[in-house]
Amino acid sequence: MSRAEQMDTVTGAAAGTVDRHGTPATFASTDPAGGAVVGVFPVHDARAVQQTVDRARPAARRWAELGFDGRRQRLAAYRGHLARHLHELADLVHRENGKPRADAVLEISLTIEHLAWAAAHARRTLGPRRVRAGLLAADHAAYLEYQPLGVVGVIGPWNYPVFTPMGSIAYALAAGNAVVFKPSEHTPAVGAWLAAAWRAAVPDVADALQVVTGNGSTGAALCRAGVGKLAFTGSAPTGRKVMAACAETLTPVLMELGGKDAMIVDDDADVAAAADAAVWGAMSNAGQTCIGIERVYATSAVYDRFVAEVTERVRGLRPGSDDEAAYGPMTMASQTDVVRRHVADATSSGGRAVTGGTVEGGFVAPTVLLEVPETSAAVQEETFGPTLTITRVRDAEEALERTNATSYGLAGAVFSRSRARAMDLARRMRSGMTSVNSVLTFASVPALPFGGVGESGFGRIHGEDGLKEFTRARAITRRRFALPVDLMSFRRPPAAADALARLMGVVHGRHP
Ligand code: NAD
């Protein structure tokens, strides 16, 4: 029986791949396209979560003791396992989340690349190094290193059930932490598969990655279980609750929240390329992408051509659950209500849908909205559906002003043939990440940090910042020799302060 097939056996004598910890309550995850049960999982309560975290503590010590080389070797085994079972996992993602298999393959491939990068760069980024001790501590050697936090809690969403949580898990593990992962209640089978794959690939430290399943109450229990840090990815309202729960125990948090990302299309842009990227950025994964493009601001010079190019491309898209479909159903049925509300708000406040605007079953037609007022929910709130607003602006400056006018600030894109202009706009965009002449590319560059500003959260996964996020900086000084005068001693002579002031005058006083 494959690991994916074991997912629905938790209610029987065999507990599937998830340890029940004696929890009687269960819940089922279902295929959003047809409603078939994908797996049955425990609703882990606070006691079960605590047991899991307690079991992770010795694993964290053992994992940390393995050092960078031992961890790198085991993370390679995990990555190899994922690569060898890529299609099995992609099929599970397709069944549980609804996205096309090809998109699942892309998602898992990106994850494997991140795993490789995190493991390969952990020592250089976090390992012990000597730093200059400086003038006032010239008699000391100074050392800096980044030590793991112990057990890290990771709470994930359902939209990229592999890539998104693994952005925290891979970097936390590479930094020397054990992880307890609570996947979304909509994609527990994928989370359970990832943990079972870890046990198979890294049997000697199997408890370094464990999974707990359940709903918000299971997540809240993880916040209160005494983890060294809680990495949360999800919506801003839930993020607030997670922060409040973590505040009770002063547990530090990483917040990867929603977005309302915009694309700026400037006068000199390659309009066809911009349209192609906008359609992919807005519609792929049924628009359920935190860094998806939800708004476009196109200058007057290119607006009509851009709208025509987008409309033509969008008309060729078909949602469905077969392998030829452009994108799948909404993973969460309730999300269709949000999309409906945003489309209705846009059209009742002066906007119009040039295409789409309809919902059939769980499938939302690709929707392009024009002339939507900036105050509309379709422009201000995260829609998380296959919709795009396109707004005509005077120039790129006005586009930037409007781009920066929401409470979110996750990512965005700029299309322009002028490198200097595009880079300037990218730098001034209120976001953590921006792609020039493409969309979402920053997520596929492991060396680049990923995270937002404002209501999109704080802290970073990926890259060196993502490794440091799961550590505490440790400072050490070591006295190398004794100076004749010790400034930090009650035995220092009275004249020492005057001598020090003179020294400051010589070294720093010459600066006007
Ligand atoms: P959500 O906020 O509803 O749930 C996220 C997770 O939090 C789930 O595992 C859920 O069970 C858990 N949870 C719910 N209540 C909780 C509580 N009180 N305490 C602790 N945990 C609790 O989000 P979602 O619908 O699963 O995901 C969609 C959202 O995630 C969107 O807003 C999207 O933009 C965002 N997202 C952000 C990123 C990013 O990296 N910035 C990536 C992917 C998704």
Side-chain angles (χ1 to χ4, degrees), residues 82-458:
L82 294 186
R84 287 190 298 281
H85 295 81
L86 204 157
H87 282 295
E88 183 188 325
L89 179 56
D91 187 62
L92 186 62
V93 170
H94 167 69
R95 283 194 289 131
E96 197 173 46
N97 161 287
K99 71 178 64 182
R101 281 184 186 80
D103 286 357
V105 168
L106 176 61
E107 176 179 347
I108 300 162
S109 303
L110 287 167
T111 305
I112 292 171
E113 283 291 301
H114 275 279
L115 255 171
W117 192 95
H121 290 79
R123 181 198 294 279
R124 193 184 313 158
T125 309
L126 309 172
R129 79 205 59 173
R130 209 164 147 173
V131 296
R132 286 176 73 88
L135 184 65
L136 296 184
D139 50 336
H140 295 257
Y143 303 92
L144 167 64
E145 65 187 78
Y146 293 86
Q147 297 180 333
L149 302 169
V151 181
V152 167
V154 173
I155 298 178
W158 45 265
N159 58 337
Y160 287 84
V162 178
F163 180 72
T164 295
M166 286 298 289
S168 294
I169 294 168
Y171 287 79
L173 286 170
N177 304 280
V179 172
V180 174
F181 169 38
K182 208 294 278 176
S184 164
E185 54 272 46
H186 300 285
T187 51
V190 173
W193 193 100
L194 290 170
W198 174 267
R199 281 200 301 279
V202 190
D204 64 333
V205 208
D207 288 340
L209 174 57
Q210 298 176 73
V211 78
V212 289
T213 54
N215 49 26
S217 65
T218 308
L222 186 55
C223 297
R224 297 188 170 100
V227 291
K229 186 159 197 165
L230 196 294
F232 173 76
T233 309
S235 63
T238 311
R240 285 189 181 85
K241 290 185 199 161
V242 167
M243 280 185 76
C246 287
E248 292 169 17
T249 47
L250 280 182
T251 299
V253 291
L254 161 71
M255 287 283 138
E256 295 285 354
L257 309 176
K260 189 70 190 174
D261 293 354
M263 174 191 285
I264 296 173
V265 188
D266 204 354
D267 295 349
D268 62 350
D270 178 339
V271 173
D276 201 65
V279 172
W280 169 263
M283 314 292 172
S284 61
N285 206 33
Q288 304 167 117
T289 304
C290 55
I291 48 171
I293 299 294
E294 299 208 352
R295 306 174 282 157
V296 174
Y297 296 105
T299 63
S300 292
V302 295
Y303 178 84
D304 290 335
R305 266 190 303 141
F306 181 80
V307 170
E309 293 268 5
V310 165
T311 310
E312 188 199 317
R313 283 170 169 77
V314 164
R315 291 211 169 109
L317 299 184
R318 179 182 57 81
S321 53
D322 53 284
D323 282 343
E324 277 73 49
Y327 59 83
M330 303 306 281
T331 307
M332 261 185 357
S334 58
Q335 195 62 29
T336 53
D337 297 337
V338 177
V339 177
R340 274 203 195 90
R341 179 169 64 79
H342 285 192
V343 173
D345 190 60
T347 49
S348 67
S349 56
R352 66 189 169 92
V354 272
T355 174
T358 55
V359 181
E360 244 177 74
F363 297 93
V364 179
T367 302
V368 178
L369 298 159
L370 305 182
E371 293 143 36
V372 182
E374 292 295 287
T375 49
S376 165
V379 175
Q380 292 298 325
E381 297 172 24
E382 186 180 49
T383 308
F384 231 50
T387 67
L388 186 66
T389 64
I390 309 178
T391 305
R392 184 195 296 271
V393 288
R394 193 182 59 246
D395 54 23
E397 283 306 315
E398 187 186 355
L400 184 69
E401 206 173 293
R402 293 188 182 212
T403 293
N404 290 350
T406 73
S407 55
Y408 290 109
L410 192 53
V414 175
F415 271 77
S416 165
R417 283 198 171 90
S418 156
R419 188 202 295 194
R421 180 95 189 106
M423 290 299 285
D424 176 54
L425 288 166
R427 288 198 174 96
R428 289 189 291 136
M429 187 177 274
R430 185 174 174 272
S431 69
M433 304 152 287
T434 304
S435 294
V436 172
N437 294 336
S438 71
V439 287
L440 323 186
T441 311
F442 44 78
S444 60
V445 180
L448 285 177
F450 186 109
V453 302
E455 296 239 355
S456 293
F458 51 82

Side-chain angles (χ1 to χ4, degrees), residues 421-505:
R421 180 95 189 106
M423 290 299 285
D424 176 54
L425 288 166
R427 288 198 174 96
R428 289 189 291 136
M429 187 177 274
R430 185 174 174 272
S431 69
M433 304 152 287
T434 304
S435 294
V436 172
N437 294 336
S438 71
V439 287
L440 323 186
T441 311
F442 44 78
S444 60
V445 180
L448 285 177
F450 186 109
V453 302
E455 296 239 355
S456 293
F458 51 82
R460 295 293 181 264
I461 54 171
H462 301 178
E464 293 185 355
D465 299 270
L467 285 166
K468 286 183 184 167
E469 190 73 42
F470 297 104
T471 62
R472 61 173 70 89
R474 151 73 66 193
I476 300 174
T477 61
R478 180 180 56 80
R479 170 160 262 155
R480 293 186 298 141
F481 54 86
L483 287 173
V485 174
D486 184 354
L487 289 171
M488 295 199 204
S489 164
F490 288 116
R491 289 184 290 109
R492 76 180 172 213
D498 285 343
L500 179 61
R502 274 198 304 281
L503 181 64
M504 289 297 107

